[in-house]
């Protein structure tokens, strides 16, 4: 099956949809600029360095003007909304971009030698500027350009080298865990979260398409289509693959509340073709998700942990349905990866419910020994957002060096939490690992040709320092045909 690039069945509906978005944009822009009047730590530091009092004056002067523009644009926005909402019923919940690359990946043939595949998952916090301020981040246009450049640095270096090889040299006695400043030079699959802004998603497509032939973006439902509440943001999921995408499917979590009720968070499942084995396909499955964010307990809705627990259960069910629907007899399944921002860790007492979910019986977490027990080399991935602009963590190299020391981890990695979402004071006396909420899990499948899976490397990547309040994580799997 070849995926159609446009999420609409014809150009007429696509044009009407674009018209509705244009009519909505002035109100959207004015609202975003009003929220963007708050300053990040970096912006306050710049104002202090310049001894400039103009930032408060900017809010006083531009605030009323933006509010006036918002009010004047409301009638036009209402027309746009009346056009935009009904069209959601005709929209497929993702767009797809296919670009012919300068070099194609080497397809895998079995029987034959083993092959390695590399995965990266990252929360890039590409929300509209006003909403990104909640994570002490702003300047979305500059950040998306920087993120795209950093994501492709390794690929650009690899393109100048000799053709990519799936084999690698392993250091004797080295464990799989590492803290790395750059992204690996040979990432096959990128799974991103919080690409909420459509302009950011389109820009990322431009920046990544020379290196990734297949991109699934703008994932999620808008409006009331298939959801219980009005969705004004998509799911934020974004997937780039060097290998052909055979099928893709998205499901929206129906139980998001509070701020999460406004976004279409869900699960994106993708089937990719990796090669052939005696006339049968070699395929892989990628499942990318972003779970419910609020922590603690809500008097109206109960424990937020239960929402995440239920979302994982729904996700596993959807994964199985997707794989059953798209599998062919004789398929060799090389990998089945479940990754994303889970918004719970394996060290907080407030996350005990999710830590015992049966997903960890079906999938393997390379960083985990058991509930509340991670491997010694595992560290947290959520940064203390109030500190992300400090000099000690201002560059990927500085952040890497800082996090290699426990004192640095204590200051710059988010603290474990209690059931009410507050920091856990008892964590101060124990070795500090921080909140590891970004995960890459994998599992093996029985196949006509048996494969053994080995974790060659798991990376905590600091390359997004200053661009996100999360560290990226990377997984490299080595797949070998089992001896007969």
């Amino acid at each position: 099956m070849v995926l159609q690039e446009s999420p609409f069945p014809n150009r007429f509906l696509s044009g009407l949809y674009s018209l509705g978005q244009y009519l909505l944009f002035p109100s959207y822009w004015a609202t975003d600029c009003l929220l963007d009047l708050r300053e990040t730590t970096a912006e306050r530091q710049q104002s202090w360095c310049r001894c400039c009092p103009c930032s408060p004056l900017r809010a006083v002067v531009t605030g009323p003007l933006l509010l006036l523009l918002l009010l004047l644009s409301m009638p036009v926005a209402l027309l746009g909304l009346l056009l935009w909402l009904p069209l959601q019923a005709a929209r497929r919940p993702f767009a797809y971009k296919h670009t012919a690359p300068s070099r194609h990946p080497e397809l895998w043939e079995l029987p034959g030698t083993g092959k390695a595949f590399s995965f990266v998952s990252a929360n890039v916090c590409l929300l509209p500027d006003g909403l990104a301020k909640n994570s002490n981040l702003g300047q979305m246009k500059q950040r998306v350009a920087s993120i795209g450049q950093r994501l492709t640095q390794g690929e650009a270096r690899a393109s100048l080298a000799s053709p990519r090889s799936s084999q690698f040299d392993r250091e004797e006695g080295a464990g799989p865990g590492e803290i790395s400043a750059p992204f690996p030079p040979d990432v096959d699959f990128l799974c991103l979260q919080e690409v909420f802004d459509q302009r950011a998603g389109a820009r990322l497509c431009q920046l990544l398409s020379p290196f990734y032939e297949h991109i699934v973006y703008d994932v999620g439902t808008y409006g009331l289509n298939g959801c219980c509440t009005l969705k004004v943001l998509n799911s934020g999921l974004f997937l780039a693959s060097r290998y052909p995408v055979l099928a893709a499917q998205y499901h929206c979590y129906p139980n998001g509340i509070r701020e999460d009720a406004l976004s279409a968070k869900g699960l994106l499942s993708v089937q990719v073709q990796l090669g052939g084995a005696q006339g049968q396909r070699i395929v892989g499955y990628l499942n990318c998700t972003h779970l419910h964010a609020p922590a603690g307990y809500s008097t109206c809705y109960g424990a937020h942990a239960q929402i995440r627990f239920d979302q994982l259960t729904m996700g596993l069910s959807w994964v199985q349905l997707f794989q059953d629907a798209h599998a062919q007899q004789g398929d060799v399944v090389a990998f089945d990866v479940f990754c994303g921002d889970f918004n719970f860790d394996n060290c907080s007492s407030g996350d005990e419910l999710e830590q015992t979910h049966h997903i960890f019986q079906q999938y393997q977490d390379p960083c985990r020994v058991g509930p509340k027990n991670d491997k010694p080399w595992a560290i947290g991935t959520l940064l203390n957002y109030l500190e992300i602009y400090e000099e000690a963590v201002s560059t990927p190299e500085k952040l890497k060096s800082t996090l290699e020391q426990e004192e640095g981890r204590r200051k710059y990695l988010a603290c474990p939490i209690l059931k009410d979402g507050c920091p856990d004071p008892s964590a101060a006396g124990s070795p500090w690992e921080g909140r590891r909420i970004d995960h890459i899990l994998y599992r093996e499948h029985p196949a006509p040709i048996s494969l053994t899976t080995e974790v060659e490397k798991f990376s905590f990547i600091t390359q997004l320092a200053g661009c996100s309040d999360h560290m990226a994580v990377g997984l490299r799997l080595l797949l070998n045909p089992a001896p007969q």
Side-chain angles (χ1 to χ4, degrees), residues 380-410:
T381 60
L382 180 63
L383 300 175
N384 183 344
Y385 71 92
L386 295 175
E387 315 285 353
I388 58 178
Y389 285 112
E390 288 199 3
E391 179 65 21
V393 292
S394 59
T395 67
E397 292 75 18
K398 287 181 178 180
L399 179 57
K400 174 182 181 294
S401 177
T402 299
L403 295 182
E404 286 174 342
Q405 311 299 320
E406 182 164 338
E407 181 181 351
R409 294 195 292 272
R410 285 183 180 276

PDB file of all heavy atoms in Angstrom, residues 380-410:
ATOM      1  N   GLY A 380      17.755  10.324  34.600  1.00  0.00           N
ATOM      2  CA  GLY A 380      16.511  10.984  34.225  1.00  0.00           C
ATOM      3  C   GLY A 380      16.629  11.714  32.895  1.00  0.00           C
ATOM      4  O   GLY A 380      17.719  12.040  32.423  1.00  0.00           O
ATOM      5  N   THR A 381      15.473  11.981  32.297  1.00  0.00           N
ATOM      6  CA  THR A 381      15.444  12.693  31.012  1.00  0.00           C
ATOM      7  C   THR A 381      14.710  14.024  31.093  1.00  0.00           C
ATOM      8  O   THR A 381      14.786  14.822  30.156  1.00  0.00           O
ATOM      9  CB  THR A 381      14.763  11.824  29.935  1.00  0.00           C
ATOM     10  OG1 THR A 381      13.418  11.525  30.342  1.00  0.00           O
ATOM     11  CG2 THR A 381      15.529  10.521  29.723  1.00  0.00           C
ATOM     12  N   LEU A 382      14.000  14.270  32.193  1.00  0.00           N
ATOM     13  CA  LEU A 382      13.265  15.526  32.347  1.00  0.00           C
ATOM     14  C   LEU A 382      14.151  16.527  33.079  1.00  0.00           C
ATOM     15  O   LEU A 382      14.610  16.280  34.193  1.00  0.00           O
ATOM     16  CB  LEU A 382      11.968  15.295  33.124  1.00  0.00           C
ATOM     17  CG  LEU A 382      11.088  16.530  33.356  1.00  0.00           C
ATOM     18  CD1 LEU A 382      10.599  17.095  32.014  1.00  0.00           C
ATOM     19  CD2 LEU A 382       9.904  16.191  34.252  1.00  0.00           C
ATOM     20  N   LEU A 383      14.399  17.672  32.437  1.00  0.00           N
ATOM     21  CA  LEU A 383      15.259  18.697  33.020  1.00  0.00           C
ATOM     22  C   LEU A 383      14.461  19.614  33.933  1.00  0.00           C
ATOM     23  O   LEU A 383      13.243  19.789  33.765  1.00  0.00           O
ATOM     24  CB  LEU A 383      15.923  19.516  31.913  1.00  0.00           C
ATOM     25  CG  LEU A 383      16.808  18.745  30.932  1.00  0.00           C
ATOM     26  CD1 LEU A 383      17.288  19.670  29.824  1.00  0.00           C
ATOM     27  CD2 LEU A 383      17.996  18.123  31.660  1.00  0.00           C
ATOM     28  N   ASN A 384      15.144  20.189  34.901  1.00  0.00           N
ATOM     29  CA  ASN A 384      14.547  21.222  35.746  1.00  0.00           C
ATOM     30  C   ASN A 384      14.411  22.478  34.896  1.00  0.00           C
ATOM     31  O   ASN A 384      15.388  23.165  34.603  1.00  0.00           O
ATOM     32  CB  ASN A 384      15.441  21.484  36.957  1.00  0.00           C
ATOM     33  CG  ASN A 384      14.839  22.497  37.911  1.00  0.00           C
ATOM     34  OD1 ASN A 384      13.907  23.222  37.560  1.00  0.00           O
ATOM     35  ND2 ASN A 384      15.378  22.565  39.109  1.00  0.00           N
ATOM     36  N   TYR A 385      13.196  22.797  34.458  1.00  0.00           N
ATOM     37  CA  TYR A 385      13.007  23.838  33.452  1.00  0.00           C
ATOM     38  C   TYR A 385      13.410  25.223  33.945  1.00  0.00           C
ATOM     39  O   TYR A 385      13.690  26.127  33.149  1.00  0.00           O
ATOM     40  CB  TYR A 385      11.561  23.852  32.947  1.00  0.00           C
ATOM     41  CG  TYR A 385      10.533  24.355  33.935  1.00  0.00           C
ATOM     42  CD1 TYR A 385      10.174  25.692  33.956  1.00  0.00           C
ATOM     43  CD2 TYR A 385       9.911  23.489  34.832  1.00  0.00           C
ATOM     44  CE1 TYR A 385       9.222  26.157  34.847  1.00  0.00           C
ATOM     45  CE2 TYR A 385       8.973  23.952  35.723  1.00  0.00           C
ATOM     46  CZ  TYR A 385       8.632  25.293  35.731  1.00  0.00           C
ATOM     47  OH  TYR A 385       7.702  25.753  36.624  1.00  0.00           O
ATOM     48  N   LEU A 386      13.470  25.431  35.269  1.00  0.00           N
ATOM     49  CA  LEU A 386      13.890  26.730  35.778  1.00  0.00           C
ATOM     50  C   LEU A 386      15.387  26.957  35.614  1.00  0.00           C
ATOM     51  O   LEU A 386      15.867  28.084  35.704  1.00  0.00           O
ATOM     52  CB  LEU A 386      13.507  26.862  37.255  1.00  0.00           C
ATOM     53  CG  LEU A 386      12.008  26.872  37.563  1.00  0.00           C
ATOM     54  CD1 LEU A 386      11.781  26.894  39.055  1.00  0.00           C
ATOM     55  CD2 LEU A 386      11.330  28.066  36.900  1.00  0.00           C
ATOM     56  N   GLU A 387      16.135  25.864  35.373  1.00  0.00           N
ATOM     57  CA  GLU A 387      17.587  25.958  35.314  1.00  0.00           C
ATOM     58  C   GLU A 387      18.152  25.767  33.903  1.00  0.00           C
ATOM     59  O   GLU A 387      19.364  25.797  33.725  1.00  0.00           O
ATOM     60  CB  GLU A 387      18.217  24.884  36.228  1.00  0.00           C
ATOM     61  CG  GLU A 387      17.582  24.752  37.598  1.00  0.00           C
ATOM     62  CD  GLU A 387      17.972  25.891  38.523  1.00  0.00           C
ATOM     63  OE1 GLU A 387      18.838  26.690  38.137  1.00  0.00           O
ATOM     64  OE2 GLU A 387      17.410  25.973  39.630  1.00  0.00           O
ATOM     65  N   ILE A 388      17.297  25.592  32.885  1.00  0.00           N
ATOM     66  CA  ILE A 388      17.817  25.138  31.590  1.00  0.00           C
ATOM     67  C   ILE A 388      18.628  26.205  30.863  1.00  0.00           C
ATOM     68  O   ILE A 388      19.293  25.895  29.876  1.00  0.00           O
ATOM     69  CB  ILE A 388      16.682  24.629  30.674  1.00  0.00           C
ATOM     70  CG1 ILE A 388      15.639  25.719  30.433  1.00  0.00           C
ATOM     71  CG2 ILE A 388      16.060  23.384  31.241  1.00  0.00           C
ATOM     72  CD1 ILE A 388      14.533  25.287  29.494  1.00  0.00           C
ATOM     73  N   TYR A 389      18.594  27.460  31.315  1.00  0.00           N
ATOM     74  CA  TYR A 389      19.380  28.483  30.643  1.00  0.00           C
ATOM     75  C   TYR A 389      20.645  28.847  31.420  1.00  0.00           C
ATOM     76  O   TYR A 389      21.339  29.792  31.047  1.00  0.00           O
ATOM     77  CB  TYR A 389      18.540  29.744  30.418  1.00  0.00           C
ATOM     78  CG  TYR A 389      17.539  29.594  29.292  1.00  0.00           C
ATOM     79  CD1 TYR A 389      16.177  29.576  29.554  1.00  0.00           C
ATOM     80  CD2 TYR A 389      17.965  29.462  27.975  1.00  0.00           C
ATOM     81  CE1 TYR A 389      15.261  29.437  28.512  1.00  0.00           C
ATOM     82  CE2 TYR A 389      17.059  29.314  26.942  1.00  0.00           C
ATOM     83  CZ  TYR A 389      15.710  29.309  27.219  1.00  0.00           C
ATOM     84  OH  TYR A 389      14.816  29.166  26.198  1.00  0.00           O
ATOM     85  N   GLU A 390      20.945  28.138  32.499  1.00  0.00           N
ATOM     86  CA  GLU A 390      22.162  28.440  33.239  1.00  0.00           C
ATOM     87  C   GLU A 390      23.393  28.075  32.414  1.00  0.00           C
ATOM     88  O   GLU A 390      23.369  27.193  31.560  1.00  0.00           O
ATOM     89  CB  GLU A 390      22.175  27.690  34.577  1.00  0.00           C
ATOM     90  CG  GLU A 390      21.184  28.257  35.584  1.00  0.00           C
ATOM     91  CD  GLU A 390      21.512  27.847  37.005  1.00  0.00           C
ATOM     92  OE1 GLU A 390      22.530  27.169  37.214  1.00  0.00           O
ATOM     93  OE2 GLU A 390      20.741  28.211  37.906  1.00  0.00           O
ATOM     94  N   GLU A 391      24.498  28.766  32.700  1.00  0.00           N
ATOM     95  CA  GLU A 391      25.720  28.599  31.929  1.00  0.00           C
ATOM     96  C   GLU A 391      26.202  27.154  31.923  1.00  0.00           C
ATOM     97  O   GLU A 391      26.691  26.647  30.907  1.00  0.00           O
ATOM     98  CB  GLU A 391      26.809  29.510  32.500  1.00  0.00           C
ATOM     99  CG  GLU A 391      28.152  29.424  31.804  1.00  0.00           C
ATOM    100  CD  GLU A 391      28.122  29.904  30.354  1.00  0.00           C
ATOM    101  OE1 GLU A 391      27.183  30.659  29.998  1.00  0.00           O
ATOM    102  OE2 GLU A 391      28.994  29.492  29.587  1.00  0.00           O
ATOM    103  N   ALA A 392      26.030  26.446  33.055  1.00  0.00           N
ATOM    104  CA  ALA A 392      26.565  25.084  33.171  1.00  0.00           C
ATOM    105  C   ALA A 392      25.876  24.091  32.243  1.00  0.00           C
ATOM    106  O   ALA A 392      26.408  23.014  31.995  1.00  0.00           O
ATOM    107  CB  ALA A 392      26.454  24.598  34.619  1.00  0.00           C
ATOM    108  N   VAL A 393      24.710  24.437  31.724  1.00  0.00           N
ATOM    109  CA  VAL A 393      23.970  23.510  30.847  1.00  0.00           C
ATOM    110  C   VAL A 393      23.562  24.203  29.556  1.00  0.00           C
ATOM    111  O   VAL A 393      22.602  23.801  28.914  1.00  0.00           O
ATOM    112  CB  VAL A 393      22.728  22.940  31.572  1.00  0.00           C
ATOM    113  CG1 VAL A 393      23.142  22.021  32.696  1.00  0.00           C
ATOM    114  CG2 VAL A 393      21.828  24.056  32.101  1.00  0.00           C
ATOM    115  N   SER A 394      24.268  25.231  29.149  1.00  0.00           N
ATOM    116  CA  SER A 394      23.864  26.045  28.011  1.00  0.00           C
ATOM    117  C   SER A 394      24.202  25.414  26.665  1.00  0.00           C
ATOM    118  O   SER A 394      23.668  25.820  25.639  1.00  0.00           O
ATOM    119  CB  SER A 394      24.511  27.431  28.103  1.00  0.00           C
ATOM    120  OG  SER A 394      25.932  27.301  28.135  1.00  0.00           O
ATOM    121  N   THR A 395      25.110  24.438  26.649  1.00  0.00           N
ATOM    122  CA  THR A 395      25.462  23.750  25.405  1.00  0.00           C
ATOM    123  C   THR A 395      25.385  22.247  25.627  1.00  0.00           C
ATOM    124  O   THR A 395      25.455  21.774  26.772  1.00  0.00           O
ATOM    125  CB  THR A 395      26.892  24.107  24.956  1.00  0.00           C
ATOM    126  OG1 THR A 395      27.840  23.566  25.885  1.00  0.00           O
ATOM    127  CG2 THR A 395      27.069  25.620  24.854  1.00  0.00           C
ATOM    128  N   PRO A 396      25.249  21.450  24.542  1.00  0.00           N
ATOM    129  CA  PRO A 396      25.194  19.992  24.707  1.00  0.00           C
ATOM    130  C   PRO A 396      26.411  19.434  25.436  1.00  0.00           C
ATOM    131  O   PRO A 396      26.273  18.535  26.275  1.00  0.00           O
ATOM    132  CB  PRO A 396      25.128  19.481  23.262  1.00  0.00           C
ATOM    133  CG  PRO A 396      24.499  20.592  22.501  1.00  0.00           C
ATOM    134  CD  PRO A 396      24.990  21.852  23.137  1.00  0.00           C
ATOM    135  N   GLU A 397      27.600  19.954  25.136  1.00  0.00           N
ATOM    136  CA  GLU A 397      28.815  19.441  25.774  1.00  0.00           C
ATOM    137  C   GLU A 397      28.828  19.766  27.264  1.00  0.00           C
ATOM    138  O   GLU A 397      29.222  18.934  28.092  1.00  0.00           O
ATOM    139  CB  GLU A 397      30.049  20.023  25.088  1.00  0.00           C
ATOM    140  CG  GLU A 397      30.268  19.529  23.665  1.00  0.00           C
ATOM    141  CD  GLU A 397      29.303  20.158  22.655  1.00  0.00           C
ATOM    142  OE1 GLU A 397      28.699  21.207  22.992  1.00  0.00           O
ATOM    143  OE2 GLU A 397      29.141  19.601  21.550  1.00  0.00           O
ATOM    144  N   LYS A 398      28.412  20.991  27.621  1.00  0.00           N
ATOM    145  CA  LYS A 398      28.386  21.379  29.032  1.00  0.00           C
ATOM    146  C   LYS A 398      27.350  20.566  29.802  1.00  0.00           C
ATOM    147  O   LYS A 398      27.590  20.142  30.932  1.00  0.00           O
ATOM    148  CB  LYS A 398      28.097  22.873  29.161  1.00  0.00           C
ATOM    149  CG  LYS A 398      29.252  23.771  28.753  1.00  0.00           C
ATOM    150  CD  LYS A 398      28.897  25.237  28.945  1.00  0.00           C
ATOM    151  CE  LYS A 398      30.068  26.145  28.578  1.00  0.00           C
ATOM    152  NZ  LYS A 398      29.738  27.574  28.757  1.00  0.00           N
ATOM    153  N   LEU A 399      26.171  20.351  29.190  1.00  0.00           N
ATOM    154  CA  LEU A 399      25.132  19.566  29.856  1.00  0.00           C
ATOM    155  C   LEU A 399      25.601  18.128  30.055  1.00  0.00           C
ATOM    156  O   LEU A 399      25.378  17.536  31.119  1.00  0.00           O
ATOM    157  CB  LEU A 399      23.837  19.598  29.043  1.00  0.00           C
ATOM    158  CG  LEU A 399      22.658  18.810  29.602  1.00  0.00           C
ATOM    159  CD1 LEU A 399      22.303  19.275  31.010  1.00  0.00           C
ATOM    160  CD2 LEU A 399      21.439  18.924  28.685  1.00  0.00           C
ATOM    161  N   LYS A 400      26.256  17.551  29.052  1.00  0.00           N
ATOM    162  CA  LYS A 400      26.788  16.194  29.186  1.00  0.00           C
ATOM    163  C   LYS A 400      27.779  16.113  30.346  1.00  0.00           C
ATOM    164  O   LYS A 400      27.689  15.221  31.200  1.00  0.00           O
ATOM    165  CB  LYS A 400      27.470  15.764  27.892  1.00  0.00           C
ATOM    166  CG  LYS A 400      28.185  14.412  27.956  1.00  0.00           C
ATOM    167  CD  LYS A 400      28.879  14.100  26.647  1.00  0.00           C
ATOM    168  CE  LYS A 400      29.568  12.737  26.697  1.00  0.00           C
ATOM    169  NZ  LYS A 400      30.679  12.698  27.658  1.00  0.00           N
ATOM    170  N   SER A 401      28.716  17.050  30.388  1.00  0.00           N
ATOM    171  CA  SER A 401      29.727  17.052  31.445  1.00  0.00           C
ATOM    172  C   SER A 401      29.098  17.225  32.814  1.00  0.00           C
ATOM    173  O   SER A 401      29.495  16.571  33.789  1.00  0.00           O
ATOM    174  CB  SER A 401      30.741  18.159  31.182  1.00  0.00           C
ATOM    175  OG  SER A 401      31.691  18.238  32.216  1.00  0.00           O
ATOM    176  N   THR A 402      28.078  18.085  32.903  1.00  0.00           N
ATOM    177  CA  THR A 402      27.409  18.336  34.178  1.00  0.00           C
ATOM    178  C   THR A 402      26.664  17.105  34.671  1.00  0.00           C
ATOM    179  O   THR A 402      26.716  16.752  35.854  1.00  0.00           O
ATOM    180  CB  THR A 402      26.431  19.521  34.033  1.00  0.00           C
ATOM    181  OG1 THR A 402      27.164  20.692  33.654  1.00  0.00           O
ATOM    182  CG2 THR A 402      25.685  19.789  35.344  1.00  0.00           C
ATOM    183  N   LEU A 403      25.961  16.419  33.770  1.00  0.00           N
ATOM    184  CA  LEU A 403      25.144  15.278  34.173  1.00  0.00           C
ATOM    185  C   LEU A 403      25.967  14.026  34.457  1.00  0.00           C
ATOM    186  O   LEU A 403      25.438  13.055  35.007  1.00  0.00           O
ATOM    187  CB  LEU A 403      24.098  14.977  33.093  1.00  0.00           C
ATOM    188  CG  LEU A 403      23.046  16.074  32.868  1.00  0.00           C
ATOM    189  CD1 LEU A 403      22.043  15.633  31.809  1.00  0.00           C
ATOM    190  CD2 LEU A 403      22.324  16.428  34.158  1.00  0.00           C
ATOM    191  N   GLU A 404      27.220  14.036  34.090  1.00  0.00           N
ATOM    192  CA  GLU A 404      28.088  12.911  34.446  1.00  0.00           C
ATOM    193  C   GLU A 404      28.454  12.931  35.927  1.00  0.00           C
ATOM    194  O   GLU A 404      28.974  11.944  36.449  1.00  0.00           O
ATOM    195  CB  GLU A 404      29.351  12.938  33.584  1.00  0.00           C
ATOM    196  CG  GLU A 404      29.081  12.504  32.139  1.00  0.00           C
ATOM    197  CD  GLU A 404      30.291  12.672  31.246  1.00  0.00           C
ATOM    198  OE1 GLU A 404      31.211  13.433  31.630  1.00  0.00           O
ATOM    199  OE2 GLU A 404      30.326  12.060  30.159  1.00  0.00           O
ATOM    200  N   GLN A 405      28.164  14.056  36.616  1.00  0.00           N
ATOM    201  CA  GLN A 405      28.433  14.183  38.044  1.00  0.00           C
ATOM    202  C   GLN A 405      27.104  14.162  38.807  1.00  0.00           C
ATOM    203  O   GLN A 405      26.127  14.773  38.372  1.00  0.00           O
ATOM    204  CB  GLN A 405      29.171  15.500  38.349  1.00  0.00           C
ATOM    205  CG  GLN A 405      30.371  15.750  37.449  1.00  0.00           C
ATOM    206  CD  GLN A 405      31.424  14.671  37.569  1.00  0.00           C
ATOM    207  OE1 GLN A 405      31.694  14.191  38.678  1.00  0.00           O
ATOM    208  NE2 GLN A 405      32.040  14.298  36.445  1.00  0.00           N
ATOM    209  N   GLU A 406      27.074  13.474  39.955  1.00  0.00           N
ATOM    210  CA  GLU A 406      25.824  13.394  40.715  1.00  0.00           C
ATOM    211  C   GLU A 406      25.351  14.763  41.173  1.00  0.00           C
ATOM    212  O   GLU A 406      24.147  15.038  41.205  1.00  0.00           O
ATOM    213  CB  GLU A 406      25.978  12.468  41.921  1.00  0.00           C
ATOM    214  CG  GLU A 406      24.669  12.325  42.692  1.00  0.00           C
ATOM    215  CD  GLU A 406      24.645  11.144  43.646  1.00  0.00           C
ATOM    216  OE1 GLU A 406      25.421  10.195  43.446  1.00  0.00           O
ATOM    217  OE2 GLU A 406      23.827  11.184  44.568  1.00  0.00           O
ATOM    218  N   GLU A 407      26.276  15.637  41.526  1.00  0.00           N
ATOM    219  CA  GLU A 407      25.883  16.985  41.952  1.00  0.00           C
ATOM    220  C   GLU A 407      25.137  17.707  40.838  1.00  0.00           C
ATOM    221  O   GLU A 407      24.150  18.401  41.073  1.00  0.00           O
ATOM    222  CB  GLU A 407      27.126  17.775  42.354  1.00  0.00           C
ATOM    223  CG  GLU A 407      26.813  19.182  42.841  1.00  0.00           C
ATOM    224  CD  GLU A 407      28.067  19.955  43.222  1.00  0.00           C
ATOM    225  OE1 GLU A 407      29.152  19.348  43.280  1.00  0.00           O
ATOM    226  OE2 GLU A 407      27.949  21.174  43.454  1.00  0.00           O
ATOM    227  N   GLY A 408      25.616  17.540  39.602  1.00  0.00           N
ATOM    228  CA  GLY A 408      24.937  18.151  38.466  1.00  0.00           C
ATOM    229  C   GLY A 408      23.563  17.548  38.227  1.00  0.00           C
ATOM    230  O   GLY A 408      22.603  18.257  37.915  1.00  0.00           O
ATOM    231  N   ARG A 409      23.448  16.243  38.368  1.00  0.00           N
ATOM    232  CA  ARG A 409      22.144  15.594  38.188  1.00  0.00           C
ATOM    233  C   ARG A 409      21.146  16.074  39.235  1.00  0.00           C
ATOM    234  O   ARG A 409      19.964  16.274  38.933  1.00  0.00           O
ATOM    235  CB  ARG A 409      22.296  14.072  38.236  1.00  0.00           C
ATOM    236  CG  ARG A 409      23.106  13.500  37.072  1.00  0.00           C
ATOM    237  CD  ARG A 409      22.925  11.997  36.944  1.00  0.00           C
ATOM    238  NE  ARG A 409      23.515  11.265  38.053  1.00  0.00           N
ATOM    239  CZ  ARG A 409      24.775  10.858  38.093  1.00  0.00           C
ATOM    240  NH1 ARG A 409      25.584  11.149  37.086  1.00  0.00           N
ATOM    241  NH2 ARG A 409      25.236  10.171  39.121  1.00  0.00           N
ATOM    242  N   ARG A 410      21.606  16.265  40.465  1.00  0.00           N
ATOM    243  CA  ARG A 410      20.713  16.730  41.533  1.00  0.00           C
ATOM    244  C   ARG A 410      20.145  18.114  41.225  1.00  0.00           C
ATOM    245  O   ARG A 410      18.999  18.406  41.558  1.00  0.00           O
ATOM    246  CB  ARG A 410      21.446  16.760  42.866  1.00  0.00           C
ATOM    247  CG  ARG A 410      21.667  15.400  43.492  1.00  0.00           C
ATOM    248  CD  ARG A 410      22.326  15.497  44.854  1.00  0.00           C
ATOM    249  NE  ARG A 410      22.519  14.177  45.429  1.00  0.00           N
ATOM    250  CZ  ARG A 410      21.590  13.508  46.113  1.00  0.00           C
ATOM    251  NH1 ARG A 410      20.411  14.074  46.317  1.00  0.00           N
ATOM    252  NH2 ARG A 410      21.828  12.308  46.584  1.00  0.00           N
TER     253      ARG A 410
END
